[in-house]
Amino acid sequence: MSQFFGADFDQLQSQDPEIAAILLSELDRQRKNLQLIASENFTSPAVLTALGSTLSNKYAEGYPGKRYYGGCEEVDKAEVIGIERAKELFGAEHANLQPHSGASANVAVYQAFTKPGDTVLAMSLPHGGHLTHGSKVNFSGKWFNVESYGVRKEDELIDYDELREIAKRVRPKMICSGATAYPRLIDFKIIREICDEVGAIMWVDAAHFIGLVAGKAIPSPVPYADVVSFTTHKVLRGPRGGMILSKAAHAAAIDKAVFPGMQGGPIMSAVAAKAIALKECLDSAYQDYAKQVILNCKALASALEKEGMRAVSGGTDTHLALIDIRSTGINGKVADERCGKSGITLNKNAIPYDPETPAVTSGIRVGTPAVTTQGMSVTEMPIIASLIARAIKDGADDAKAAAIRSEVNALTAKFPVYPR
Ligand code: DSN
């Protein structure tokens, strides 16, 4: 049976040893290094099985029961199950599991609620937003008039008074909240009020934190928002992909915007994998996991502060921390490189009001979804913080980087990933 699920690795090795070797060495990299990229995780073997299944062969343009191709009986069942699980998990009125990615989901949101040239208000990218929230190099910034709000300089928290003032001035069609590098909770009640005051659609891009919502570890935007878009592969721990939740009143607009508005055939292996991940999230063990992700991140941020670095906004309420590393005398780009050489995978990241360019930055972003999946707890966070601090300081030296890397390997060996 295994060959039907893409699991016949021996066959791949004899057919295409070059690619087989890459699959193995990537598995090795994921097992041995510390994975601290806040938007990554280790999905379950069950999810990987669906991704590598024959569902990948099926064209299924349209929606369950209304497809443009025959032979969709089986994939229809998977999509219906996934939609029902998403609605149950998030208490949502409508769910669309077809977007190929978070960025694709966001294209659909723009298409459902706006026309090119309309004004949209979103968090500025340098303060933690996302490319699809109006960056000039992205379709959003090219086709829409995107105005931005940001965080206050004093406390690095979203300035809701400023947000309201800008909204009243620019009268946006849609207000987007959600970010990729904002470590704090967002007040969705205030944002709903502002949207109502100016007649804007409330869009939450929950890609980063939706897994924490699924695990009931932080408040949900779903009761407040008209539409919530997200990726399924971050804390949520599903396959790489996107999803959209909305109020029932917007269901037809969202579905039309995804297909035929923005995509052709959905990737049905990914849709089935999303359904599996949603079932996993409905389990109480996932709720424990989501809470542990936050506890670990708080512990990591505070341990990095003890190592002499500064957590932006003074800490975190979520799965990620943004660390201002200027005290080390090393910029984000060099820190990222030195950590990589030492077996620690993280990313350089701009901090609010960063004096450096986005390619250099004064910060790093760290996240705990992956290390928590592999079973690490608050006990390991000071060890990780010390390894990061040493890598930033000494990682230029090959021998010192190798020594740190072997300590990283010893630590990760105690928490094996995909042990089989
Ligand atoms: N690339 C994602 C992240 O790392 O935050 C956002 O899309």
Side-chain angles (χ1 to χ4, degrees):
M1 205 58 185
S2 69
Q3 70 271 26
F4 297 121
F5 295 100
D8 194 336
F9 195 77
D10 291 343
Q11 188 184 334
L12 176 63
Q13 265 180 323
S14 63
Q15 185 185 323
D16 192 336
E18 259 177 298
I19 296 293
I22 293 169
L23 263 56
L24 281 182
S25 50
E26 171 60 11
L27 176 60
D28 199 47
R29 188 194 68 79
Q30 292 189 19
R31 281 175 169 158
K32 285 191 175 154
N33 290 1
L34 270 169
Q35 309 299 339
L36 296 175
I37 296 208
S39 47
E40 292 182 356
N41 210 335
F42 301 116
T43 198
S44 68
V47 166
L48 291 178
T49 300
L51 285 176
S53 74
T54 52
L55 270 64
S56 175
N57 299 336
K58 190 69 199 97
Y59 250 122
E61 275 151 317
Y63 289 98
K66 289 172 286 182
R67 304 282 190 189
Y68 287 80
Y69 289 86
C72 289
E73 316 72 65
E74 299 308 319
V75 292
D76 271 10
K77 289 183 212 160
E79 188 164 349
V80 168
I81 289 171
I83 290 169
E84 290 311 313
R85 287 179 185 166
K87 285 160 69 178
E88 182 188 346
L89 180 66
F90 296 110
E93 293 173 11
H94 179 67
N96 187 308
L97 272 59
Q98 294 193 4
H100 298 336
S101 69
S104 308
N106 292 352
V107 175
V109 170
Y110 279 94
Q111 195 178 167
F113 297 107
T114 59
K115 294 201 168 35
D118 279 349
T119 297
V120 174
L121 177 56
M123 186 141 169
S124 94
L125 183 57
H127 287 204
H130 185 250
L131 279 174
T132 55
H133 301 173
S135 161
K136 289 290 168 216
V137 295
N138 182 261
F139 81 93
S140 53
K142 290 181 203 256
W143 300 347
F144 297 87
N145 171 40
V146 183
E147 303 277 348
S148 326
Y149 60 89
V151 298
R152 276 186 297 260
K153 204 163 190 175
E154 313 86 79
D155 57 8
E156 296 162 317
L157 299 177
I158 292 173
D159 186 341
Y160 295 98
D161 294 333
E162 183 207 30
L163 203 168
R164 175 179 271 112
E165 183 273 307
I166 300 173
K168 285 190 168 160
R169 181 160 42 82
V170 306
R171 311 298 297 188
K173 197 82 177 275
M174 186 160 75
I175 297 179
C176 172
S177 48
T180 62
Y182 185 65
R184 296 301 188 172
L185 299 181
I186 296 171
D187 191 332
F188 299 115
K189 186 165 175 288
I190 293 186
I191 293 186
R192 177 76 260 173
E193 285 165 11
I194 298 171
C195 285
D196 289 343
E197 284 166 30
V198 301
I201 289 287
M202 179 174 168
W203 164 30
V204 178
D205 181 344
H208 257 272
F209 56 83
I210 195 71
L212 301 175
V213 173
K216 305 197 185 327
I218 64 169
S220 172
V222 173
Y224 299 102
D226 292 289
V227 60
V228 180
S229 62
F230 52 92
T231 48
T232 48
H233 49 267
K234 297 188 171 90
V235 188
L236 195 73
R237 216 159 54 179
R240 184 156 293 277
M243 205 184 285
I244 302 175
L245 307 173
S246 75
K247 297 283 185 254
H250 304 308
I254 289 292
D255 286 354
K256 256 173 72 183
V258 173
F259 172 84
M262 187 260 313
Q263 279 179 189
I267 302 172
M268 293 314 295
S269 47
V271 169
K274 288 171 196 174
I276 294 169
L278 291 166
K279 184 173 184 196
E280 291 173 358
C281 291
L282 284 161
D283 194 287
S284 64
Y286 181 81
Q287 296 186 14
D288 296 341
Y289 161 73
K291 292 182 183 87
Q292 191 62 46
V293 167
I294 298 176
L295 290 175
N296 283 354
C297 203
K298 284 177 184 287
L300 182 57
S302 117
L304 285 165
E305 291 212 304
K306 286 191 186 115
E307 296 288 343
M309 293 168 252
R310 188 184 75 86
V312 167
S313 81
T316 179
D317 303 320
T318 65
H319 62 296
L320 73 84
L322 188 57
I323 309 295
D324 174 352
I325 60 167
R326 284 175 293 181
S327 60
T328 64
I330 304 292
N331 65 45
K333 179 173 184 288
V334 172
D336 180 337
E337 286 160 7
R338 291 185 182 182
C339 285
K341 205 168 139 193
S342 309
I344 303 167
T345 308
L346 45 70
N347 63 280
K348 65 173 181 275
N349 212 106
I351 59 170
Y353 305 96
D354 202 322
E356 298 286 356
T357 65
V360 175
T361 81
S362 302
I364 54 170
R365 188 185 66 163
V366 291
T368 49
V371 291
T372 308
T373 293
Q374 69 191 120
M376 294 194 200
S377 70
V378 291
T379 313
E380 283 70 40
M381 298 305 126
I383 304 171
I384 295 177
S386 149
L387 290 164
I388 293 172
R390 282 169 51 204
I392 292 176
K393 184 164 155 277
D394 297 331
D397 179 307
D398 288 351
K400 287 182 178 164
I404 298 166
R405 198 167 56 242
S406 53
E407 286 181 51
V408 165
N409 295 163
L411 175 63
T412 53
K414 289 192 215 153
F415 300 91
V417 174
Y418 304 118
R420 282 193 302 143

